C-alpha cells in the first residue's frame, strides 16, 4: 500500500499502515474485521493480515489508543475505546514529537492520504501546542494555545497543497512583518519547531529560502490560487541546521572529533559542516551564529575546538572552571 507507487522501507510502510488504521477507526466504529482487512491489509495473505493487525493494535495501545473488539454474529468488530481513548500517562516527550513530525510530514504531503485535514487538526493540537509551550519565551511573549493551534495546520496546508501562505511574523528583533511564503519542510531544534520556506514577500520570481520559527507566527492564511513549486536544487538538509547555526552567520568553527565518538558524531551533527577524516578521528568545520551556544554544544558532545581563538579561549576557561571545582 505504498503511496503513489513509491517504494517504502518497512518502517515507513508500518507508519503509513498504522496511521491509516487509526484514522479509519476514528471516523467510524465499530468496524467489522473484513472491512478493516479490505481497507488496510488487502495486500497481505489472511494469516499475515491477522498477525499484522495484532501488532498494529499493540503499537496503538502503547501510544495510548486502545482498540476494543466486540462479537457481531460470526465476525468480530473493532473500535477505539471511549473509556481509554488516550492514556494520560503517555506523556509526549521531545523525541516522541520529533518522530511524530517526521512520520506525518511524509503522509501529509501525499495526496492519496484521505485523512489529511483530520490529521493536520490533530497535529495542531498535539505537536503544535507542545512546541509552543516548550519555547524559551516568557509567558507574556508566548503565543496562546488557540493561536498556535490555528497557524500550525495552515502552514501544513501550504506544505501539502503547494499554495502560498500569508503570515504575520515576529522576528528575533521583535519586529512584526507580513510575509508571503511557500512552506517546504519542517524540522526541530532544541525542542523548538521550525519551518523552511520560500519568501515571496519581495514579489520577485526568484524567492529566497529562509528558516522560520513556528512559535513566532502570529497569524496565517492560505492565499487561494497562488501556488508555488519546490526548486529543483532544494535539499532540506541544507536548512535543517543545528541550534547554534540558526541566525546570521558569525564565524566558522573547527573542532577535533575523537575517533571513539565518530559514529555518534555522524548522527548528532545531522550532516552539517565539512568533515576531514584523520587517523585518530576527524576535523569538523562548520559555521555558527551563536558562539556561546556552539561552545555548549561541543562541550556536551565531547568535541575539542581548534578555532576561532575567541571560542577556544572560552573552552579553555570552561575546562579551568571545572578543574578548580567552580
Amino acid at each position: 500500500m505504498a503511496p503513489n507507487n513509491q517504494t517504502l522501507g518497512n518502517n515507513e510502510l508500518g507508519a503509513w499502515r498504522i496511521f491509516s488504521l487509526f484514522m479509519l477507526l476514528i471516523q467510524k466504529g465499530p468496524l467489522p474485521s473484513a472491512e478493516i482487512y479490505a481497507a488496510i491489509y488487502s495486500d497481505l495473505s489472511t494469516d499475515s493480515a491477522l498477525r499484522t493487525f495484532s501488532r498494529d493494535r499493540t503499537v496503538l495501545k502503547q501510544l495510548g489508543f486502545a482498540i476494543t473488539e466486540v462479537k457481531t454474529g460470526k465476525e468480530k468488530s473493532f473500535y477505539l475505546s471511549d473509556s481509554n481513548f488516550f492514556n494520560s500517562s503517555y506523556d509526549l516527550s521531545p523525541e516522541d514529537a520529533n518522530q511524530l513530525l517526521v512520520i506525518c510530514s511524509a503522509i501529509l504531503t501525499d495526496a492519496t492520504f484521505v485523512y489529511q485535514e483530520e490529521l493536520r487538526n490533530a497535529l495542531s493540537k498535539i505537536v503544535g501546542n507542545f512546541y509552543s509551550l516548550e519555547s524559551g519565551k516568557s509567558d507574556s511573549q508566548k503565543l496562546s494555545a488557540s493561536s498556535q493551534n490555528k497557524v500550525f495546520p495552515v502552514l501544513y496546508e501550504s506544505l501539502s497543497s503547494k499554495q502560498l501562505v500569508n503570515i504575520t511574523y515576529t522576528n528575533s528583533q521583535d519586529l512584526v512583518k507580513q510575509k508571503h511564503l511557500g512552506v517546504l519542510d519542517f524540522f526541530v531544534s532544541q525542542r523548538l519547531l521550525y519551518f523552511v520556506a520560500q519568501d515571496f514577500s519581495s514579489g520577485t520570481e526568484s524567492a529566497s529560502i529562509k528558516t522560520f520559527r513556528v512559535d513566532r507566527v502570529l497569524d496565517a492564511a492560505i492565499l487561494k490560487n497562488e501556488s508555488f513549486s519546490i526548486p529543483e536544487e532544494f535539499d532540506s538538509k541544507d536548512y535543517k541546521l543545528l541550534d547554534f547555526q540558526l541566525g546570521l552567520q558569525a564565524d566558522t568553527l573547527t573542532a577535533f572529533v575523537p575517533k571513539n565518538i565518530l559514529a555518534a558524531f555522524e548522527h548528532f551533527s545531522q550532516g552539517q559542516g565539512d568533515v576531514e577524516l584523520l587517523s585518530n578521528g576527524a576535523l569538523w568545520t562548520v559555521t555558527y551564529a551563536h558562539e556561546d551556544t556552539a561552545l555548549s554544544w561541543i562541550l556536551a558532545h565531547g568535541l575539542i575546538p581548534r578555532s576561532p581563538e575567541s571560542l577556544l579561549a572560552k573552552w579553555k576557561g570552561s575546562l579551568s572552571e571545572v578543574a578548580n571545582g567552580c
Side-chain angles (χ1 to χ4, degrees), residues 135-190:
S135 73
K137 291 185 174 183
S138 65
D139 290 340
S140 62
Q141 292 175 310
K142 284 181 182 179
L143 293 177
S144 67
S146 60
S147 175
Q148 187 72 17
N149 290 347
K150 181 173 64 174
V151 303
F152 190 76
V154 178
L155 296 173
Y156 250 130
E157 184 177 349
S158 174
L159 172 69
S160 59
S161 68
K162 299 299 178 288
Q163 289 185 295
L164 294 183
V165 60
N166 178 63
I167 69 168
T168 305
Y169 190 76
T170 305
N171 65 17
S172 57
Q173 287 77 45
D174 289 328
L175 297 176
V176 178
K177 296 184 177 182
Q178 296 288 321
K179 291 186 174 291
H180 287 190
L181 306 176
V183 180
L184 302 174
D185 203 0
F186 289 87
F187 70 96
V188 176
S189 182
Q190 293 296 100

Side-chain angles (χ1 to χ4, degrees), residues 40-59:
I40 309 296
Y41 307 97
S42 60
D43 55 339
L44 302 177
S45 67
T46 301
D47 289 342
S48 294
L50 287 169
R51 291 193 299 270
T52 306
F53 178 49
S54 178
R55 287 196 299 268
D56 292 348
R57 286 181 64 188
T58 300
V59 171

Side-chain angles (χ1 to χ4, degrees), residues 131-132 135-137 143 148 192-193 213-217:
Y131 283 109
S132 70
S135 73
K137 291 185 174 183
L143 293 177
Q148 187 72 17
L192 290 173
L193 179 60
R213 265 173 52 174
V214 171
D215 68 336
R216 292 188 184 274
V217 180

Side-chain angles (χ1 to χ4, degrees), residues 236-251:
S236 61
K237 291 187 294 185
D238 295 335
Y239 300 90
K240 294 180 179 179
L241 305 178
L242 300 168
D243 61 307
F244 61 79
Q245 295 179 290
L246 295 163
L248 296 176
Q249 180 178 335
D251 208 334

